[in-house]
Amino acid sequence: MDNKETRNDDSLTLNKETQINLVVNNQDEDEDSIDLVRVFQRFKEKSRVFVWLLIFCIVAGVSAALLMYQINKKPLTASSVVTLRYYIHGNDGTSVQVKDLTAPDGRTELDLSQITSSYVLQNAMSDVKLSRNIPVSALRDNITIKRIPTESSRKNQELIQSMMDNTSTVSAAYEKAQELEIKYSNQFIVSLTNGFGNQDENAELIYLEDSEIHNLLDHVLEAYNDYLVLTYGGLRLPDNKMSAIDITSMDIMEGLDLLKLAVANLNSFCNVQPAEIRTYRSWQTGLTLQDMARKAALIQEVNVDYLYSYIHMNGITKEPESVKTRYQYELRNAKLELDAVKAQIEKTVDVLANYKNDEILVSMHESDTTKSTRYTTEYYNELVLSQTENYSKVAELELTISNLQEKIDSIQEDVNTEQYAEAYAELEKAIEASTKLYNQISAHIEEILGSPFYRTFAEESVPQGKTESFLTASAKNMLLFGGVGAIAALAIWFFSALAPEFHAANDQSIENGKHQKQGDHDHAGKEEEK
Amino acid sequence: MNNNVKRKNHYIIITLVVFVICLIIGTIIAGIQFMQKKSATSASTTLELSFETVGKGIAPNGNRYDVKEMASDQVLQTALEASSLSDMYTPDQIRSCLVIRGVYPEDIQEQYTSYVSVLPGSTNQEVKLTDYYPSVFSIVLTNDFDASISQANLTMLLDQIVTAYKNYFSKAGAYTLEKGASVFELSDYDYLHQLKLISLKLNNLKAYVGQLYEKYPNFRWNGQGFNDILNRLENVITEDLSRTNAQTTINAISKDIDRLLTVYTYEYTNLNIRYLNKIENLKKADELVSSYEKNVKIYLSTADSIKEVTGNSTVTYDKLVEYQRKIANEMTNINTQIGDYKLKIQDISGKESSTESLITGADTENADALSENYQMEEMESSNNKDDAQTRISAEIIEEDIHAILEKHDAIVSDLDALIQAKNAEQINDVTVSSGKVKYYAPRLLSGSFFKQVVKTAGPFCAIALMICLMVIFISKRKECKQNED
């Protein structure tokens, strides 16, 4: 027990010394505190190195930004807005400017994928000189077409979107979305992006100059315009039938028949054109197609009909028998056709009489009474309307037969050479006047076809879009990376000035530790000696 | 101290040497790249259009214009001939090297390039694209068609192209009066037909002047405007032409009265046949309409809604009625024409017709016999006409026609002057103006080369500078350590 107590006393003694050491250690902690004066002195000492470091870091940052731009450079995308501006026939028969993506035929939807068809792209590329050859397939891949929904479609889409955002109306939104038919306006955007892939996937992309991209897109759209005009442009003159009238070999009646038909065709060609084409005034002749249509009508009246009545009333012909035979043949054919149409009418009348239309039985709501009614089917209605066509045909054929009969009756067996010569000269004049008019119309149509009025079915804006310059595009990154470099340099400077203080404190504590160990060792030795 | 200074100078010299070496290497690489990708020489200029409707893409005369017409055969051929280069180049060669681009303002460019489809759905998004017709264009002609063309020739060619386009526009964008040979030779026709031809001329002109007056009601030149011309034309048509027409018709004045009678008789007979034909047609149409039964409209009512059950019987019925109406209208027209010819025949015969009224549905069956009767009667009566009186009347009509033609020519002359004045007001030197033609050739002293140098040598120099700084930094560090030791 005594021994134990003695040990306890010893430990107490040691504790006292430890306490003394702790005090000493506390004094050392005071020495650990950072001496700002020394730190600032070091800042000052290292300021020259810091300037170099700062420059280094900023340059490194700016260079990194520039390299990043070179690596991640976005290729140019040139865009052009195309507005369709042709006229289509409205429901009421008038021509109206297209308001959606309906094709010029007025029935089908315009096939925009034709912009990237091989025909259009090859035509476009043949018209433009490029610094590097690019395959058509690569060009096709880089063209995008955006259609533009109409205002109402856009609002509907927004409504559905808002309904979808609301959890309670999601199912209704899906239903509505299925019913929604998106309508597009008569504008669309075509974009071409630089950087063309090769057939070899590993090969590098082909880049063209920015100006070449603009030019190429311009030519693609022009080629598409040509395609539209070629596909849908119906503005073609009827054949020049006047040139086919050879009055030296033909009989005068036959020649006049042909002329009558030719002038009527010319007149109808002028009249069936849309109002915009009819009223286009040529800057070369000062005339419109309407003016020419009136001239054609006048030729019909003062030249053709005037001569026609004279020839037929007097039965003027060079070879009466031959002409008579021809008319008799035509008469026989017309009569046969008339019989056929009349038979068709009779048959249709029978069908209509025996046709059983639908019968609808309607039961009254909250009542026991029922009522039946007849309901004409679509087929029945079509049959009825086909009868009107048949009747018109009969009327036309009867008129033809009557005219032919009259012509046959009027043909005189004896040829009156004087009358024939007079009629012949007049026919020559009529052909001459008609040919002049045909040439005028032809020149006018050529002018329209070559003019912007007709050539530009779709009007495209000049392709827009430009790449930012090297410095402008990377300015933001240069500032950012430069700033980061500067901050890094500052941090390094700061820590380089501060670090020695920590080093010193660590060295001191190690030394203190050594001293303490040494002290303990000495103390133990003394105890042993005791 | 001296050692320190020497060491610093040493570092600076090393840094500069490395920097310069890198700069030289970068410049050489840039030079090689520049020479390899050397772009074609070009001449460029700007073209500005200024007239009222330029913003709508419409020329002063109301026709659509397109500056790309500058690349048309007509303009390019004129330019080549004016530059005396037509023997060396063709319009096709020049066309592929001529770039015409409109200058668009920033906001329009923004619209065109940053349009985002609304399919993702976003409210209040601006999706309407503005139609914009630029009024300023940049025209560039590159020498791709001939690399050896001189600067003088290239700039002259572009200048001539622009000049040729200006001339073209001054014609294509201006108003013009009827030009070219006439289709009809007036003297070949009978008086009545001559009057019809003159009437056509005057009415076509009247329609044109009417359009011009509608557009420019206040335009006046030399004391007269388009409305004055319009009034003069109106007077000639309603007074002179109508009077002469009446005299010719009523007095049956013709170069060949027998021929005229033959024509009228033929037309009269023909119209009667057509009328009979239409009557038959109308009977059938009436039968169809009366026998057709329209559906009863049924409304099916349920607790929630009312549904209409109907077929297209109304549409079919309407089509039948339309068919019926069309035939009736045609009959009315034919009847009017029959009446007209009947009166004309009466004029020629100079006596009342045996029939009292126009041919109607009731008496058309006798049309053929009637027309034959007419012909015989009129032929006889025409033979009895006083030839001398006819000749005098014909002379008067010829004088009247001549007077109308003189008036027409005077009006055309005044109208032409008026149109020229209007054209001069609208299309002048400032309507299509162009800037100075500039020549561009890529040279080692050009801005694009410096740009290439900055792009290529820049990274080289930056890397070199960084290496130098690292070397300096490491050396400095070593020095510090040595000093501390």
Side-chain angles (χ1 to χ4, degrees):
Chain A
M1 273 299 281
D2 287 340
N3 284 339
K4 278 182 185 175
E5 282 172 2
T6 314
R7 272 174 209 154
N8 285 341
D9 290 342
D10 286 347
S11 64
L12 277 171
T13 320
L14 280 170
N15 281 345
K16 276 181 187 173
E17 282 182 6
T18 315
Q19 276 179 346
I20 293 162
N21 280 337
L22 280 170
V23 173
V24 172
N25 281 344
N26 281 343
Q27 282 171 347
D28 284 347
E29 272 175 13
D30 285 343
E31 283 172 7
D32 270 356
S33 63
I34 296 164
D35 186 347
L36 282 175
V37 177
R38 276 210 305 269
V39 171
F40 279 111
Q41 269 178 350
R42 281 197 200 98
F43 273 156
K44 201 177 169 186
E45 280 167 16
K46 296 188 177 187
S47 60
R48 286 181 187 170
V49 179
F50 165 70
V51 171
W52 287 108
L53 183 70
L54 189 68
I55 294 169
F56 171 78
C57 288
I58 291 173
V59 169
V62 170
S63 303
L66 292 176
L67 282 171
M68 261 182 72
Y69 171 79
Q70 293 283 37
I71 295 162
N72 300 325
K73 193 169 91 173
K74 277 187 183 172
L76 166 78
T77 298
S79 300
S80 184
V81 176
V82 182
T83 309
L84 303 174
R85 49 174 301 273
Y86 44 77
Y87 289 81
I88 53 172
H89 288 289
N91 294 329
D92 55 349
T94 56
S95 60
V96 286
Q97 186 158 16
V98 68
K99 285 177 183 154
D100 50 19
L101 295 179
T102 307
D105 60 13
R107 296 186 300 275
T108 54
E109 192 180 339
L110 193 66
D111 185 8
L112 293 183
S113 64
Q114 286 298 328
I115 295 175
T116 53
S117 66
S118 299
Y119 171 79
V120 169
L121 295 184
Q122 270 167 358
N123 276 349
M125 286 173 78
S126 65
D127 291 344
V128 65
K129 281 186 180 174
L130 298 173
S131 57
R132 300 185 67 182
N133 286 331
I134 48 170
V136 171
S137 58
L139 178 60
R140 182 180 295 126
D141 292 344
N142 284 28
I143 292 176
T144 50
I145 301 158
K146 279 183 201 164
R147 292 177 296 174
I148 300 170
T150 56
E151 190 69 11
S152 58
S153 290
R154 188 174 68 84
K155 281 181 180 166
N156 283 336
Q157 284 174 334
E158 285 175 2
L159 180 71
I160 291 169
Q161 187 67 38
S162 63
M163 283 167 78
M164 281 184 174
D165 292 342
N166 188 347
T167 48
S168 62
T169 54
V170 170
S171 58
Y174 276 112
E175 269 180 33
K176 204 169 168 57
Q178 279 178 341
E179 288 170 10
L180 179 69
E181 189 190 353
I182 302 171
K183 287 182 178 170
Y184 296 95
S185 71
N186 65 337
Q187 286 184 312
F188 54 91
I189 299 174
V190 183
S191 304
L192 175 64
T193 306
N194 202 353
F196 300 92
N198 228 324
Q199 283 178 341
D200 179 7
E201 284 182 4
N202 298 323
E204 271 188 30
L205 294 178
I206 303 167
Y207 285 96
L208 296 174
E209 295 287 324
D210 288 358
S211 59
E212 286 179 315
I213 290 290
H214 285 125
N215 210 11
L216 185 56
L217 180 57
D218 230 0
H219 278 85
V220 168
L221 296 175
E222 272 182 35
Y224 181 62
N225 232 323
D226 291 344
Y227 159 80
L228 281 181
V229 173
L230 203 70
T231 312
Y232 298 106
L235 200 59
R236 291 282 176 274
L237 261 180
D239 295 335
N240 184 357
K241 286 190 177 154
M242 274 74 81
S243 63
I245 305 169
D246 182 10
I247 46 174
T248 51
S249 61
M250 257 178 204
D251 198 278
I252 198 159
M253 276 191 179
E254 290 168 333
L256 195 58
D257 280 343
L258 272 179
L259 183 64
K260 194 174 182 177
L261 187 70
V263 176
N265 279 351
L266 214 52
N267 193 6
S268 104
F269 167 80
C270 297
N271 284 323
V272 295
Q273 298 308 324
E276 294 68 32
I277 290 177
R278 272 187 287 132
T279 53
Y280 171 84
R281 192 170 291 279
S282 160
W283 61 271
Q284 286 169 336
T285 62
L287 289 168
T288 64
L289 210 54
Q290 233 164 17
D291 297 339
M292 295 181 200
R294 287 189 204 116
K295 281 186 183 178
L298 204 58
I299 287 181
Q300 185 86 44
E301 187 186 342
V302 302
N303 287 94
V304 180
D305 288 348
Y306 190 63
L307 184 60
Y308 202 86
S309 55
Y310 179 62
I311 287 175
H312 284 289
M313 285 298 274
N314 297 311
I316 301 169
T317 174
K318 191 164 67 178
E319 292 168 359
E321 279 309 311
S322 159
V323 175
K324 206 175 209 173
T325 312
R326 202 194 111 202
Y327 285 144
Q328 275 167 346
Y329 176 70
E330 282 179 21
L331 182 67
R332 196 177 66 179
N333 286 345
K335 278 179 177 170
L336 280 173
E337 203 179 339
L338 181 66
D339 290 343
V341 179
K342 277 184 174 170
Q344 206 174 338
I345 289 172
E346 273 175 33
K347 190 72 196 160
T348 312
V349 168
D350 284 350
V351 171
L352 285 172
N354 299 318
Y355 188 85
K356 285 181 181 168
N357 272 310
D358 293 343
E359 192 162 353
I360 296 180
L361 203 65
V362 183
S363 64
M364 297 295 170
H365 189 56
E366 295 173 353
S367 153
D368 294 336
T369 53
T370 54
K371 194 181 171 187
S372 83
T373 179
R374 283 209 180 274
Y375 185 82
T376 52
T377 63
E378 212 165 293
Y379 183 72
Y380 179 84
N381 288 328
E382 275 175 23
L383 276 178
V384 172
L385 288 177
S386 73
Q387 281 294 70
T388 61
E389 285 168 23
N390 288 336
Y391 288 141
S392 298
K393 209 167 182 182
V394 166
E396 202 181 308
L397 282 167
E398 278 176 349
L399 206 61
T400 311
I401 290 166
S402 162
N403 281 337
L404 285 168
Q405 194 62 60
E406 198 188 335
K407 280 177 188 175
I408 293 165
D409 294 344
S410 70
I411 292 172
Q412 291 175 0
E413 297 302 323
D414 302 325
V415 180
N416 184 334
T417 47
E418 198 182 327
Q419 275 184 337
Y420 188 85
E422 194 186 335
Y424 185 89
E426 213 167 303
L427 180 63
E428 267 187 329
K429 278 179 191 167
I431 291 172
E432 193 188 334
S434 307
T435 309
K436 272 185 193 170
L437 181 66
Y438 180 88
N439 292 338
Q440 264 190 7
I441 294 174
S442 178
H444 188 81
I445 295 300
E446 284 300 318
E447 188 188 317
I448 290 180
L449 288 174
S451 76
F453 169 75
Y454 191 79
R455 199 182 57 239
T456 50
F457 260 39
E459 195 165 55
E460 68 268 5
S461 71
V462 173
Q464 302 297 311
K466 57 180 178 185
T467 42
E468 284 180 298
S469 73
F470 177 59
L471 291 173
T472 322
S474 48
K476 200 176 158 186
N477 277 347
M478 278 159 66
L479 276 174
L480 190 72
F481 281 62
V484 169
I487 291 166
L490 270 170
I492 293 167
W493 183 41
F494 179 74
F495 283 113
S496 67
L498 204 62
E501 287 295 314
F502 288 104
H503 272 293
N506 282 340
D507 292 348
Q508 189 68 45
S509 62
I510 290 162
E511 270 182 30
N512 285 342
K514 278 178 183 173
H515 286 154
Q516 195 182 341
K517 277 182 182 174
Q518 188 66 41
D520 290 347
H521 189 71
D522 291 348
H523 184 73
K526 279 177 187 175
E527 285 291 314
E528 278 174 9
E529 279 173 11
K530 276 180 186 177
Chain B
M1 274 298 276
N2 281 340
N3 274 344
N4 270 342
V5 173
K6 274 183 182 173
R7 207 171 286 135
K8 273 181 194 171
N9 287 340
H10 178 68
Y11 288 141
I12 290 167
I13 287 165
I14 286 176
T15 310
L16 279 174
V17 167
V18 172
F19 187 79
V20 169
I21 289 169
C22 288
L23 188 66
I24 290 167
I25 293 169
T27 310
I28 289 167
I29 294 170
I32 292 166
Q33 281 183 342
F34 184 74
M35 296 308 283
Q36 276 180 344
K37 284 173 72 178
K38 195 174 175 180
S39 52
T41 59
S42 61
S44 66
T45 187
T46 55
L47 189 85
E48 189 171 355
L49 304 177
S50 54
F51 46 88
E52 206 180 325
T53 49
V54 69
K56 294 174 187 167
I58 307 273
N61 65 355
N63 286 345
R64 197 161 277 278
Y65 74 88
D66 186 356
V67 178
K68 285 180 184 167
E69 292 282 293
M70 193 183 284
S72 64
D73 280 350
Q74 193 181 346
V75 173
L76 291 180
Q77 190 59 42
T78 313
L80 281 169
E81 280 165 13
S83 323
S84 310
L85 296 170
S86 54
D87 297 338
M88 297 164 77
Y89 312 113
T90 62
D92 281 338
Q93 283 177 299
I94 307 296
R95 191 178 296 115
S96 61
C97 303
L98 188 67
V99 180
I100 305 155
R101 298 179 57 77
V103 179
Y104 284 69
E106 284 289 325
D107 58 328
I108 299 289
Q109 280 189 33
E110 192 72 15
Q111 268 188 27
Y112 289 5
T113 53
S114 63
Y115 173 82
V116 182
S117 170
V118 289
L119 281 173
S122 56
T123 48
N124 299 325
Q125 190 171 6
E126 183 60 47
V127 290
K128 193 164 169 59
L129 292 166
T130 318
D131 277 337
Y132 182 82
Y133 296 92
S135 57
V136 180
F137 299 85
S138 84
I139 321 289
V140 180
L141 178 66
T142 56
N143 72 340
D144 285 334
F145 59 95
D146 179 10
S148 61
I149 190 169
S150 67
Q151 177 182 349
N153 276 347
L154 193 68
T155 50
M156 181 176 68
L157 183 56
L158 182 61
D159 196 34
Q160 288 302 334
I161 289 172
V162 173
T163 310
Y165 179 70
K166 282 182 190 174
N167 290 335
Y168 169 81
F169 189 84
S170 67
K171 288 173 191 160
Y175 292 105
T176 182
L177 266 178
E178 186 176 343
K179 290 174 194 168
S182 174
V183 170
F184 305 100
E185 188 59 54
L186 212 60
S187 57
D188 289 347
Y189 296 89
D190 201 355
Y191 301 126
L192 271 173
H193 290 166
Q194 282 188 20
L195 290 170
K196 278 188 178 169
L197 295 172
I198 295 168
S199 168
L200 177 80
K201 256 185 177 184
L202 289 168
N203 279 308
N204 279 351
L205 202 60
K206 190 183 150 194
Y208 188 22
V209 179
Q211 284 170 10
L212 290 171
Y213 176 58
E214 206 174 303
K215 270 177 122 177
Y216 312 107
N218 300 320
F219 179 72
R220 297 190 77 76
W221 187 79
N222 258 0
Q224 65 175 343
F226 290 116
N227 59 330
D228 299 316
I229 302 281
L230 203 60
N231 288 336
R232 283 167 68 187
L233 277 169
E234 189 69 38
N235 280 341
V236 175
I237 293 167
T238 54
E239 298 295 326
D240 301 10
L241 195 65
S242 295
R243 192 182 57 243
T244 314
N245 214 341
Q247 278 179 356
T248 316
T249 313
I250 299 287
N251 297 319
I253 299 165
S254 169
K255 285 182 179 175
D256 186 347
I257 197 77
D258 296 341
R259 170 91 183 264
L260 200 61
L261 185 66
T262 311
V263 170
Y264 287 163
T265 314
Y266 174 81
E267 292 296 339
Y268 180 81
T269 315
N270 219 9
L271 284 167
N272 275 307
I273 294 167
R274 280 177 64 195
Y275 191 85
L276 285 171
N277 186 271
K278 291 285 168 196
I279 287 171
E280 284 300 309
N281 209 358
L282 187 64
K283 271 183 197 168
K284 302 280 182 194
D286 289 343
E287 277 171 23
L288 268 178
V289 172
S290 58
S291 64
Y292 188 79
E293 279 181 34
K294 281 181 77 177
N295 292 340
V296 178
K297 268 192 178 179
I298 300 164
Y299 290 95
L300 289 177
S301 127
T302 60
D304 299 329
S305 61
I306 295 176
K307 197 177 174 186
E308 187 186 334
V309 178
T310 179
N312 57 353
S313 67
T314 306
V315 178
T316 311
Y317 186 77
D318 290 352
K319 280 182 181 169
L320 287 177
V321 173
E322 180 61 34
Y323 173 67
Q324 192 186 27
R325 202 173 65 91
K326 194 182 156 197
I327 299 168
N329 285 344
E330 281 171 359
M331 281 177 68
T332 313
N333 284 338
I334 294 171
N335 211 359
T336 312
Q337 286 179 53
I338 289 171
D340 185 40
Y341 278 110
K342 190 178 171 186
L343 289 171
K344 280 177 179 170
I345 292 168
Q346 281 175 2
D347 291 335
I348 291 175
S349 67
K351 60 182 182 183
E352 286 299 314
S353 167
S354 56
T355 49
E356 291 303 317
S357 60
L358 298 183
I359 295 174
T360 57
D363 60 2
T364 42
E365 284 176 19
N366 301 319
D368 281 344
L370 194 76
S371 65
E372 277 171 25
N373 182 30
Y374 260 135
Q375 200 181 356
M376 285 174 69
E377 282 180 17
E378 309 328 337
M379 292 289 270
E380 281 170 19
S381 63
S382 62
N383 289 335
N384 298 330
K385 272 202 167 266
D386 184 358
D387 287 344
Q389 194 184 344
T390 307
R391 271 201 303 277
I392 291 163
S393 301
E395 276 167 14
I396 293 168
I397 295 299
E398 273 175 14
E399 276 172 19
D400 283 353
I401 289 172
H402 187 68
I404 293 170
L405 284 174
E406 273 184 355
K407 281 186 181 178
H408 167 265
D409 292 346
I411 292 171
V412 167
S413 169
D414 286 353
L415 178 62
D416 194 32
L418 204 60
I419 283 176
Q420 293 307 324
K422 188 67 204 167
N423 284 339
E425 184 190 281
Q426 288 191 320
I427 302 177
N428 45 49
D429 292 343
V430 293
T431 309
V432 184
S433 57
S434 58
K436 200 180 169 187
V437 176
K438 290 175 190 166
Y439 181 75
Y440 169 80
R443 290 182 192 138
L444 288 178
L445 289 173
S446 65
S448 61
F449 176 67
F450 283 111
K451 203 174 154 187
Q452 181 79 32
V453 169
V454 170
K455 278 176 96 170
T456 316
F460 270 97
C461 292
I463 291 163
L465 198 62
M466 281 163 64
I467 292 167
C468 290
L469 283 169
M470 280 171 74
V471 169
I472 292 167
F473 193 69
I474 292 161
S475 309
K476 202 78 180 161
R477 181 79 186 157
K478 276 181 183 173
E479 261 177 48
C480 286
K481 275 191 174 177
Q482 279 171 2
N483 288 341
E484 278 172 14
D485 291 342

